[in-house]
Amino acid sequence: MASRPHLLLVEDERSIREPLAEFLGKNGYRVTQAADGGSARDVLAGYAIDCVICDIMMPGEDGLSLTRHIRENTEIPVILLTAKTEETDRIVGLEMGADDYVVKPFSPRELAARIKVILRRAGGNGQRQRAPDQQSYAFAGWVLKAGERALVDRDGVSVSLSTGEFKLLLALVTHPQQVLSRDQLLDQTQGREAAPYDRAIDNQISRLRRKIESDPKTPEIIKTIWGGGYTLSAPVTRL
């Protein structure tokens, strides 16, 4: 499958957001839309995003606050969409860590060009840049040591995990007691290489259950939510 960077487009004006998302989609990007800061935070929590394009002026949480949140938690590039009269906000946005800005009204082609430059600058031809997770997560008698990529039981005995199983379990323990769809889990574990309707998630869940569940046929830790996806039902403590 061809590489398709995943963009998050945050814009409250539907008349701007939807045509722009369609244009970017036709130019090789996968685009998720959000109409406000709260929705954008939900997308960022559930998906692996390569670049955020965010309007500054929005009702509720504005683009500057969202940029601050993104920069405090990730290294995902941010491009701000601003009005001509918002010079001060543009300066503040750049000081908060935004990577670029585009002044409205703008050409979609110009924005696409800037996105391409930002992704290339991010490294790895635009592959998302995130600080490696070094924490450990305790749940249901297990500890997942992210920095060591190790899973140990309550007696300290290590259980081997494949790379795919590790990424899947890490996605689940960092979103405890939340329902994650197969699409979200694919995005978190395989990123832009994920194929639609891929059954790899179901297979990896089955393998994980055989390793961590007392009875894999009646799982108590990783539960299936029919029509929804999977959830790690156990509480998680960060160590």
Side-chain angles (χ1 to χ4, degrees), residues 17-59:
R17 185 181 70 249
E18 292 186 349
L20 183 55
E22 182 179 1
F23 174 85
L24 293 172
K26 290 179 179 179
N27 281 269
Y29 297 103
R30 178 184 174 196
V31 185
T32 295
Q33 302 179 44
D36 53 53
S39 299
R41 285 178 181 247
D42 290 341
V43 173
L44 289 164
Y47 290 86
I49 299 297
D50 292 292
C51 182
V52 177
I53 300 94
C54 182
D55 186 25
I56 285 184
M57 297 298 293
M58 296 187 295

Side-chain angles (χ1 to χ4, degrees), residues 88-100:
T88 300
D89 285 342
R90 293 199 297 273
I91 294 171
V92 172
L94 293 172
E95 290 176 344
M96 285 183 176
D99 296 84
D100 201 355

Side-chain angles (χ1 to χ4, degrees), residues 125-207:
N125 292 320
Q127 186 171 352
R128 62 183 61 90
Q129 300 292 305
R130 293 186 176 184
D133 192 333
Q134 300 295 325
Q135 288 193 290
S136 294
Y137 302 85
F139 64 98
W142 295 94
V143 175
L144 181 67
K145 299 179 179 180
E148 302 173 27
R149 294 200 166 204
L151 176 66
V152 297
D153 65 15
R154 63 179 75 250
D155 296 320
V157 178
S158 181
V159 175
S160 64
L161 295 176
S162 68
T163 298
E165 291 165 357
F166 167 77
K167 289 181 178 180
L168 178 57
L169 187 55
L170 182 61
L172 289 167
V173 299
T174 52
H175 300 82
Q177 300 174 320
Q178 298 179 35
V179 178
L180 297 178
S181 68
R182 288 176 178 83
D183 185 48
Q184 286 177 301
L185 289 170
L186 277 169
D187 198 61
Q188 289 280 350
T189 59
Q190 299 183 35
R192 64 183 69 165
E193 301 304 322
Y197 313 115
D198 196 323
R199 301 298 293 180
I201 292 298
D202 298 321
N203 294 334
Q204 288 172 355
I205 288 287
S206 295
R207 290 196 293 270

